[in-house]
Amino acid sequence: MPLPQDWRIPPEFQPDPDALDFDLDRALAAVVSLRAAIPEDAFTAETLGTEREGQGAVIREDGLVLTIGYLMAEAEEVWLTTGDGRAVQAEPLAYDFVSGFGLVRALTPLGAPALPLGNSRRIEPGDPVVVGGAGGAAHSLAAEIVATQEFAGYWEYLIEDAIFTAPAHPNWGGTALLGAGGELLGIGSLQLPSRTSDGRVLPLNMSVPIDLLKPILDDLLRFGRVDRPSRPWLGLYAMEDEHDRVAVVGLAGNGPARKAELRTGDLLRAVGGVPVRSLAGFYRTLWSLGGAGVDVPLTVEREGDVFDVVLGSADRSRFLKSARLH
């Protein structure tokens, strides 16, 4: 749900410019708001909506903006708004399914500074950070690193060293995670619940680490995708249940899982004969079978019955309206 236009981070949670070793106003001027319009018949429209709002970080003086890919996937129109209120149209360039990053480029000069790319592998729990939102300090948050660890998402997504921060920013999508020198350490992706030692549930933000961008940036700019074979995609949503079993919780469009008549509630017992013991393990075994199009043998449990089924995997990008976004 979009936040009201006059929302503000409470002053006591905003970053204090006097406590920082960088020019906070300049760094936050590199964070722009992003609004994307998606066709109603787009593959992602049902799950992500047709009007998406978030932010992105300017990473090159030519108006190249890094964001989280779900904001701009299949966009037919993208607008960026700078800190001084200027709206600039942009073009979508790439959405990398593996990292989750998206790139757009302003079609006219933004007049905004570019953030330097930091080293996300050097951060440690307890490090202070700024979760930078579009609109300056009032929309930004003083936070700290809680953990860096593996993250498996229900949408066939897995990354190493995901960055978790607290407290949580209420408008996290595409926020710029800024380090001690004002460098870009990551891009905000999710808000997740976390249980404390005393049983309380507190929200955290998960950011995609910037080091995942560095080896793929040139490919994304040149080809609109990373120059590597696409991973096999099944078109299912899966989560670990309370018994640490991997269960199907949804099906994506008319993807391979739906065509094979998998159902919500099915338990994934094995893939390629390898027992499934975790969501991350399921993904790793699936992707080890070969590239997109490879047949994927699954052992499935449904209401106590166990059976085998073979799914013909697909290239996820082929389901999107723009073939450039891989």
Side-chain angles (χ1 to χ4, degrees):
M1 177 180 297
L3 295 173
Q5 292 186 355
D6 59 351
W7 73 277
R8 296 171 64 90
I9 298 288
E12 63 269 27
F13 294 107
Q14 294 176 21
D16 178 2
D18 294 332
L20 300 172
D21 292 330
F22 63 92
D23 185 335
L24 179 64
D25 288 341
R26 177 177 172 79
L28 294 180
V31 184
V32 295
S33 66
L34 183 150
R35 178 170 53 86
I38 316 298
E40 291 185 358
D41 61 345
F43 184 75
T44 57
E46 182 177 355
T47 53
L48 297 175
T50 58
E51 296 182 4
R52 303 174 196 166
E53 295 183 4
Q55 42 251 305
V58 180
I59 60 171
R60 289 192 178 178
E61 298 288 350
D62 65 357
L64 183 65
V65 172
L66 179 67
T67 187
I68 198 67
Y70 62 73
L71 291 176
M72 44 70 68
E74 300 186 278
E76 59 183 0
E77 186 174 296
V78 176
W79 286 88
L80 306 173
T81 303
T82 63
D84 59 6
R86 291 184 304 108
V88 174
Q89 193 165 9
E91 60 176 340
L93 296 180
Y95 173 19
D96 176 49
F97 293 124
V98 173
S99 65
F101 284 130
L103 287 173
V104 302
R105 179 184 286 125
L107 295 178
T108 55
L110 283 171
L115 287 171
L117 304 187
N119 187 337
S120 56
R121 297 187 185 278
R122 293 183 178 177
I123 60 178
E124 297 181 354
D127 285 352
V129 290
V130 172
V131 183
H139 289 179
S140 300
L141 183 71
E144 69 174 40
I145 304 295
V146 173
T148 57
Q149 62 189 45
E150 172 185 273
F151 173 77
Y154 64 85
W155 59 96
E156 299 184 52
Y157 177 74
L158 175 67
I159 60 172
E160 307 287 344
D161 300 322
I163 305 171
F164 295 87
T165 59
H169 196 290
N171 188 26
W172 58 87
T175 49
L177 187 67
L178 304 177
E183 73 280 15
L184 185 63
L185 295 176
I187 293 292
S189 175
L190 296 171
Q191 184 179 105
L192 300 167
S194 175
R195 188 172 296 277
T196 65
S197 58
D198 60 2
R200 293 178 300 150
V201 176
L202 296 177
L204 303 177
N205 286 145
M206 189 278 277
S207 294
V208 179
I210 200 63
D211 279 15
L212 293 182
L213 177 70
K214 296 172 184 177
I216 65 173
L217 180 56
D218 287 345
D219 276 0
L220 294 179
L221 292 174
R222 183 177 180 184
F223 306 115
R225 58 166 294 159
V226 180
D227 189 17
R228 64 185 169 213
S230 298
R231 287 173 170 174
W233 177 73
L234 301 183
L236 55 79
Y237 304 124
M239 297 181 68
E240 295 176 14
D241 67 12
E242 64 273 16
H243 303 293
D244 293 328
R245 302 174 301 182
V246 175
V248 177
V249 296
L251 304 172
N254 193 31
R258 189 180 298 277
K259 290 179 179 179
E261 299 184 348
L262 291 191
R263 301 178 187 172
T264 298
D266 286 349
L267 300 177
L268 304 177
R269 288 302 194 184
V271 54
V274 178
V276 173
R277 306 190 189 281
S278 67
L279 188 57
F282 168 62
Y283 293 152
R284 289 193 174 99
T285 305
L286 165 64
W287 297 333
S288 73
L289 297 178
V294 68
D295 286 342
V296 178
L298 290 181
T299 301
V300 178
E301 180 180 337
R302 178 183 296 162
E303 298 178 349
D305 293 330
V306 178
F307 59 93
D308 294 324
V309 62
V310 177
L311 279 66
S313 66
D315 180 344
R316 184 184 337 216
S317 67
R318 303 301 178 191
F319 287 75
L320 301 190
K321 292 188 71 66
S322 174
R324 182 172 172 77
L325 301 181
H326 295 175

